[in-house]
Amino acid sequence: MLCKTRPVRDEERSVTEGGPSPAQHDALASVFNVSDLITYQANVRPGAVALVQPVPSRRTLTWSQLETRVSAVASGLAAYGLVAGHRVALRAPNSIEFVIAYFAALRAGFVAVPMNPESSEPELQTMLADSGARVLLSAGRADVPGIRTLSLTEQGLTRIAAGATGPVLSPPDRESLAVLLYTAGTSGDPKAAMLSHRALLSHVEHLLPYGVVTEQTVVLALLPLFHVFGLNAVLGSWALAGATLVIEDGMDDLLSIIVEERVTFLPVAPAVIYRLLQQEDLTGSLVGIATVVSGAAPLPSALGAALTERTGLRVDQGYGLTEAAPGVTVTLGGAILGPGHVGRALPGVDLRIGDGSDQSEPAEIWIRGDNLFSGYWPDGRDGPDRDGWFASGDIGYLSHGELFLVDRARELIIVNGFNVYPAEVENAIREVPGVDAVAVIGRAYQRTGEQVVAFVAGTGVTEQQIVEHCAWRLARFKRPAEVHLVAELPRGATGKVKKGELRQLMSAPDLHDDLKGDEGAGHGGER
């Protein structure tokens, strides 16, 4: 029976509401490898439905069936000569097959390397080479020289499982490397966060006191499972709780799926909230939702308030980063205090502002906890310091234990929850003949959080050339939404581009009048 939606008062939320069950504590106590969570659930609730994929035709797997397939695929992959520590790349949209392959890779002691299926061919090849992946499991066509490519489809996994020779055993070591998650470095070079089983398990353990996901919860997996939010905050929490996961890979028929599958937990990114607000029958479709949590990108206060006004649902949000697997703070269990507020630190996570001398003065946010990564691949560089602290790159302050975000210390752009480093886009655009100089900045945009905007100076270069090159060279979310051709870029005394002036131009009444010589300014494709 679907419950009636109503506003949730702050005092009704408690960090101990529901709380961790004894079963969840037992599950964590016996787990050294994230895939052990699947084995645990198969033992305690073998016939319960674990996975549902409604489209194109509805498919389900019980926990027992999932355990059987994970073990078979793990053994089948090992038959290709892979051993513990070898990297296995996963390139696919949300699907039952992605879930099976991910846990199978971990079961065998391999290192999973989830990749955005929209990555361009050059990006894919760079990440595969950097990670040293031995095998690429891909849902689409991918021909990469020197790497065995296997099909990440239902039929493909069946063929892999057919080669199974027996159970595989991985070292029972929480510190062993589980996942490499890529983000571009500030120079545009590939940069992968090394997440151990300890880091991944610690995050889901930190969420336990909130009692948001239990065995009765029906979780929507709409967020990309190759992104840290979807991979661990959603997938990890589901596996620990023994909940039901409804897998969706787009907004088509989303509201009807939420109703038909009786979804109760809605983890989303701000862009999804924006899309939901465009739906006419929003209120009637979300009557069964108990919890909405926004993450992966900053949530504009007006966007969360609009959803609350339409549906009566409180919109909580979390703050995190790939390096924290991903959770740092969440507003669950307390009041929502307006713009910039992202809640209190999760249990098990410590926060420090700057050097710690004045927590109320905005400075860089430092994080400490067992959920932190082990540094960047392959040598663990730039990881937590000797005391366990990691500098987030974000600016914020604490007020009575509540964290408020102010700005970013680095020029990071976040599009639909994905990190875009200006240097990477700038390097790609410089490859276009005729480009003399380029500067890339981010601009607030309601649908995606931010947009990438490029200012380019050059001789004979056209906007179309830049757009076409970026379409080949960069993943979709990294491509400029706008390309502005300018006579020259504003520079300071040292020759450094003054991006602050470019940001001011973006808010000018008529950008084209302000950019002298900007005859070719135009749009590079809106996402």
Side-chain angles (χ1 to χ4, degrees):
M1 191 73 182
L2 295 179
C3 63
K4 200 168 186 178
T5 298
R6 62 176 176 81
V8 179
R9 296 189 301 271
D10 293 334
E11 59 269 23
E12 294 178 359
R13 295 280 183 183
S14 170
V15 178
T16 58
E17 179 184 342
S21 68
Q24 288 173 318
H25 278 309
D26 291 345
L28 277 173
S30 62
V31 165
F32 295 94
N33 182 301
V34 174
S35 71
D36 293 342
L37 295 172
I38 306 300
T39 304
Y40 177 86
Q41 300 301 348
N43 287 333
V44 300
R45 53 180 57 80
V49 175
L51 297 174
V52 178
Q53 186 168 338
V55 293
S57 58
R58 192 174 190 272
R59 295 185 293 151
T60 65
L61 283 182
T62 64
W63 285 103
S64 178
Q65 292 170 330
L66 177 59
E67 167 67 12
T68 298
R69 297 195 188 187
V70 166
S71 293
V73 173
S75 179
L77 287 172
Y80 285 98
L82 298 171
V83 298
H86 281 174
R87 275 75 65 202
V88 174
L90 309 175
R91 182 176 183 244
N94 289 6
S95 64
I96 285 178
E97 286 66 44
F98 181 96
V99 175
I100 293 171
Y102 171 64
F103 285 104
L106 301 186
R107 172 72 52 84
F110 308 145
V111 179
V113 189
M115 295 181 176
N116 189 335
E118 292 191 3
S119 296
S120 68
E121 184 177 337
E123 290 172 325
L124 175 64
Q125 293 179 352
T126 298
M127 289 185 288
L128 290 172
D130 181 74
S131 66
R134 300 294 187 97
V135 168
L136 168 63
L137 289 167
S138 179
R141 180 180 177 85
D143 186 15
V144 182
I147 296 179
R148 182 186 293 272
T149 302
L150 304 174
S151 175
L152 188 47
T153 61
E154 186 175 12
Q155 296 77 15
L157 292 189
T158 298
R159 287 192 292 270
I160 293 171
T165 57
V168 294
L169 297 176
S170 58
D173 180 10
R174 279 194 170 206
E175 290 300 326
S176 63
L177 184 58
V179 173
L180 291 180
L181 276 182
Y182 271 92
T183 181
T186 54
S187 64
D189 298 325
K191 184 177 175 182
M194 300 165 60
L195 295 173
S196 64
H197 289 274
R198 178 258 307 153
L200 297 170
L201 291 168
S202 293
H203 167 70
V204 296
E205 184 175 11
H206 294 166
L207 290 175
L208 274 180
Y210 299 95
V212 171
V213 184
T214 69
E215 60 188 58
Q216 288 82 32
T217 306
V218 181
V219 183
L220 181 69
L222 176 64
L223 294 166
L225 295 179
F226 54 81
H227 184 275
V228 67
F229 191 3
L231 187 72
N232 204 38
V234 175
L235 205 56
S237 297
W238 153 80
L240 175 59
T244 299
L245 191 73
V246 177
I247 301 174
E248 175 63 8
D249 186 47
M251 296 291 293
D252 293 344
D253 298 322
L254 179 61
L255 292 182
S256 62
I257 288 172
I258 288 173
V259 173
E260 291 166 8
E261 301 298 340
R262 297 176 179 263
V263 171
T264 59
F265 178 37
L266 199 61
V268 293
V272 174
I273 295 178
Y274 177 86
R275 295 282 298 275
L276 286 173
L277 289 169
Q278 313 309 308
Q279 307 297 316
E280 290 185 5
D281 188 28
L282 180 61
T283 302
S285 300
L286 299 187
V287 294
I289 300 297
T291 309
V292 180
V293 176
S294 177
L299 174 67
S301 296
L303 201 59
L307 186 67
T308 299
E309 184 178 355
R310 285 273 301 275
T311 66
L313 287 167
R314 165 174 163 144
V315 181
D316 283 286
Q317 69 169 313
Y319 161 64
L321 52 157
T322 301
E323 293 85 348
V328 178
T329 69
V330 71
T331 59
L332 289 165
I336 297 175
L337 304 176
H341 177 236
V342 289
R344 286 181 173 264
L346 293 172
V349 176
D350 295 326
L351 293 180
R352 189 185 82 203
I353 304 299
D355 62 7
S357 60
D358 187 352
Q359 303 281 63
S360 64
E361 183 67 23
E364 187 164 15
I365 301 165
W366 290 71
I367 304 163
R368 183 170 63 183
D370 287 341
N371 57 313
L372 284 177
F373 74 143
S374 303
Y376 296 107
W377 175 262
D379 55 6
R381 69 187 186 279
D382 299 330
D385 66 19
R386 61 194 302 175
D387 295 319
W389 290 101
F390 175 69
S392 69
D394 294 321
I395 304 297
Y397 64 91
L398 288 169
S399 176
H400 303 288
E402 304 285 343
L403 181 64
F404 290 78
L405 295 183
V406 176
D407 204 347
R408 287 191 293 272
R410 306 181 187 118
E411 293 182 354
L412 184 66
I413 303 169
I414 301 180
V415 178
N416 275 330
F418 297 105
N419 293 350
V420 180
Y421 287 88
E424 181 183 13
V425 182
E426 290 166 354
N427 289 342
I429 293 175
R430 286 192 189 98
E431 296 169 354
V432 178
V435 171
D436 296 328
V438 58
V440 167
I441 62 173
R443 178 179 62 186
Y445 184 54
Q446 192 173 33
R447 284 185 57 189
T448 59
E450 288 184 291
Q451 287 180 318
V452 178
V453 178
F455 293 84
V456 181
T459 305
V461 66
T462 67
E463 174 207 340
Q464 188 63 27
Q465 288 175 302
I466 295 169
V467 169
E468 291 177 355
H469 181 73
C470 288
W472 171 80
R473 181 70 168 75
L474 299 170
R476 182 185 176 103
F477 68 92
K478 298 177 184 177
R479 300 170 195 166
E482 290 186 2
V483 175
H484 297 283
L485 300 182
V486 299
E488 60 182 9
L489 297 175
R491 297 181 183 273
T494 62
K496 184 178 180 179
V497 175
K498 300 167 74 173
K499 290 191 174 181
E501 290 191 11
L502 294 178
R503 293 187 181 94
Q504 291 177 358
L505 285 176
M506 294 308 303
S507 60
D510 192 334
L511 176 62
H512 295 267
D513 287 344
D514 287 331
L515 294 173
K516 305 299 183 182
D518 185 17
E519 297 176 357
H523 292 267
E526 186 176 85
R527 289 175 299 280

